[in-house]
Amino acid sequence: MLPEGGHSYSSPNVIPVSEGEPHTTQRNWNVTNISEYVAKEAFAKYTESKCCYSKDPAREMVICDLKSFNTYRYRLETFSELRSCKWKSEPYKGQSVNLSLCTEAPYPWDVPVEVSPMFKDQKTKVKVPCTSSIEVCRRCRGRCINSCSSCNGTGFVTSTTGDHQTSTSCSFCGGSGEERCSMCSGKGKLLTYLQLKVKWKNHIFEYVMDHGFGFPIKRFKKCHGQNILFDEQHMVSPVVDFPENTIKKVSQTAVQQHQAKFITPIRGQVHSPDHGIATWNAISCPRVKFPPTMSIRKQKQIVELLYLTRVEYEWHGKPYSYYVYGNENKVYAEYYPKKCCCTVM
C-alpha cells in the first residue's frame, strides 16, 4: 500500500528485467535553503498580485525562522504500443499486388513501424506485406452495377397526390434502374488486404511526498523542481539507491503495475511469436476475430527535488507563516494579516 496521497495499485508477482544499457542520471538530492532576501522578495511579489492585500506586512515583517524540507516528486511514464489486425477492402484501380500470397506474411509485431516522437500519443495504419489479393466484388459480383436504391431497379418513382398516382422517371439513375456499385466504385474488383492498426499512448503515474504539516501538495502541480534522478530505457527498474524509502516503495509499485498492465500476458514473454497468430488466423479464416496485443516501447522515470520552505515571521508582535515553493519561488499563505475591504464587481 502506498502512503497517503499516492495511488493504490495491485502488485504482480514478477518484475520484468530491464533490457539494454540504462540511461540514468543522478544528482545531489540534498535540499537547499533559501535566503531571507529571496523569502522576502517572493512574499512581496505575492502581495502585489493580490488586490485586497496590504503591502505593509511584506515590508515590515521580521523573519524569525526558515525551515526547508526534502520533498520529492516521482514520475513514471510508460509509452505503450497497441497492435491489431483487420481485413480491409478498397476498389481495385491497378494497385501493385503480391499475387503469390504464400506463407510470407509477417506477424503483426514483425511489421516495422516507426514512431516519432516518443512519449506522445499517436496512431497509424499500414498494410501488412504479402496479404493483398484481388477479388471479385461481393456486392455486385463483378457486374460493376447494382439495382438503383432509389427506385428499387424499376427506373420509375411513384408519387401520390390525393386519389391520383403519378409515375416519373427516377432522377437518381436516369430511368435505367441501375447505379454504379459503391463498394468497388464500378470497377467490379476489390483489393483486399490485412490492415495493421498501431496505437501509441503515454501513461503517466505521479506521486508527491506529503509531510502532513499543512502545505497543500496539489500546488506542486503547477510548479517545477530540480531533476535529481532520470532513467530512460526499454523497461526501467524500480528506484533502489535513494535516501527516502517512500519514493523507493512508490517506484517499485508503479513500475510493477505499469509493466503488468501494459504488456499483453502471453506465456510470460514480452514479444512472444504467439502475438502473430492473429495474422495467420485472419488469412486462413478472414472473418475470425482476435484481440489486440500490447507491449511497452519505452519507459522513463524521474525524481524531482521540490523546493519547499516554511517561513516564520512576526508583524506587529504577532507570529505568522507562509510557504515558498518550486523553482519559481511561488508563495502559499493560509492566512494574511492585513487585507482591505473591497468588492469585486
Side-chain angles (χ1 to χ4, degrees), residues 282-338:
I283 292 174
S284 59
C285 306
R287 294 189 180 184
V288 71
K289 293 183 178 180
F290 45 85
T293 50
M294 181 183 291
S295 189
I296 291 176
R297 243 323 163 87
K298 207 146 199 177
Q299 286 187 305
K300 63 180 176 182
Q301 58 183 347
I302 300 170
V303 179
E304 288 178 274
L305 173 62
L306 299 173
Y307 300 120
L308 179 62
T309 301
R310 181 182 174 90
V311 182
E312 303 283 350
Y313 70 98
E314 285 187 359
W315 183 67
H316 287 188
K318 294 183 179 180
Y320 303 97
S321 66
Y322 62 91
Y323 293 92
V324 181
Y325 63 98
N327 289 351
E328 303 84 355
N329 287 332
K330 294 185 176 183
V331 168
Y332 167 73
E334 186 176 8
Y335 177 78
Y336 192 74
K338 187 177 182 181

Side-chain angles (χ1 to χ4, degrees), residues 28-315:
N28 181 24
W29 44 57
N30 292 326
V31 71
T32 303
N33 294 325
I34 64 173
S35 65
E36 287 192 11
Y37 174 79
V38 171
K40 288 181 177 180
E41 283 292 304
F43 200 46
K45 290 181 180 179
Y46 170 72
T47 57
E48 288 174 2
S49 67
K50 305 291 185 179
C51 65
C52 299
Y53 284 18
S54 169
K55 297 179 177 59
D56 292 345
R59 287 196 295 255
E60 302 168 357
M61 71 174 181
V62 176
I63 293 181
C64 303
D65 186 35
L66 296 173
K67 184 175 182 181
S68 298
F69 302 90
N70 281 345
T71 303
Y72 303 103
R73 173 163 53 205
Y74 172 81
R75 180 183 177 94
L76 172 67
E77 295 187 42
T78 297
F79 192 53
S80 70
E81 181 171 315
L82 181 71
R83 294 197 174 198
S84 60
C85 289
K86 184 178 181 180
W87 281 106
K88 300 289 289 186
S89 295
E90 61 185 49
Y92 177 65
K93 300 177 181 179
Q95 301 95 315
S96 178
V97 179
N98 183 352
L99 296 176
S100 60
L101 194 65
C102 42
T103 57
E104 300 301 322
Y107 295 131
W109 286 95
D110 290 336
V111 178
V113 183
E114 293 300 320
V115 55
S116 180
M118 288 282 187
F119 301 101
K120 182 179 180 180
D121 293 358
Q122 51 196 297
K123 55 187 175 181
T124 189
K125 299 176 182 178
V126 297
K127 292 181 180 179
V128 177
C130 302
T131 61
S132 300
S133 62
I134 302 172
E135 300 177 355
V136 174
C137 178
R138 54 185 174 275
R139 179 172 294 175
C140 68
R141 298 182 181 180
R143 295 175 58 246
C144 305
I145 55 176
N146 290 314
S147 296
C148 176
S149 57
S150 181
C151 65
N152 294 322
T154 63
F156 297 95
V157 177
T158 302
S159 59
T160 303
T161 305
D163 296 333
H164 301 282
Q165 288 187 338
T166 305
S167 295
T168 57
S169 178
C170 177
S171 59
F172 190 79
C173 64
S176 66
E178 298 175 335
E179 62 180 359
R180 187 178 69 169
C181 179
S182 58
M183 178 171 282
C184 64
S185 296
K187 302 297 182 181
K189 295 180 180 179
L190 296 173
L191 174 66
T192 301
Y193 58 91
L194 199 61
Q195 183 186 76
L196 174 65
K197 295 176 67 176
V198 186
K199 183 178 180 180
W200 296 279
K201 188 172 179 61
N202 196 37
H203 311 272
I204 299 174
F205 170 91
E206 190 170 283
Y207 170 80
V208 179
M209 284 184 59
D210 186 356
H211 291 281
F213 47 66
F215 178 80
I217 61 172
K218 64 181 180 181
R219 289 184 171 267
F220 280 127
K221 282 285 186 181
K222 296 182 179 181
C223 75
H224 298 85
Q226 178 188 355
N227 287 359
I228 56 175
L229 186 148
F230 179 84
D231 181 15
E232 179 178 330
Q233 49 189 308
H234 173 210
M235 287 196 292
V236 300
S237 297
V239 173
V240 176
D241 184 18
F242 202 78
E244 281 287 346
N245 288 330
T246 300
I247 294 299
K248 291 190 288 187
K249 290 178 181 178
V250 167
S251 172
Q252 182 178 24
T253 304
V255 169
Q256 287 179 339
Q257 174 64 16
H258 272 210
Q259 293 182 359
K261 185 176 182 181
F262 303 120
I263 298 175
T264 303
I266 300 180
R267 299 180 184 176
Q269 299 183 27
V270 178
H271 291 292
S272 168
D274 291 346
H275 274 107
I277 289 178
T279 300
W280 299 116
N281 283 349
I283 292 174
S284 59
C285 306
R287 294 189 180 184
V288 71
K289 293 183 178 180
F290 45 85
T293 50
M294 181 183 291
S295 189
I296 291 176
R297 243 323 163 87
K298 207 146 199 177
Q299 286 187 305
K300 63 180 176 182
Q301 58 183 347
I302 300 170
V303 179
E304 288 178 274
L305 173 62
L306 299 173
Y307 300 120
L308 179 62
T309 301
R310 181 182 174 90
V311 182
E312 303 283 350
Y313 70 98
E314 285 187 359
W315 183 67

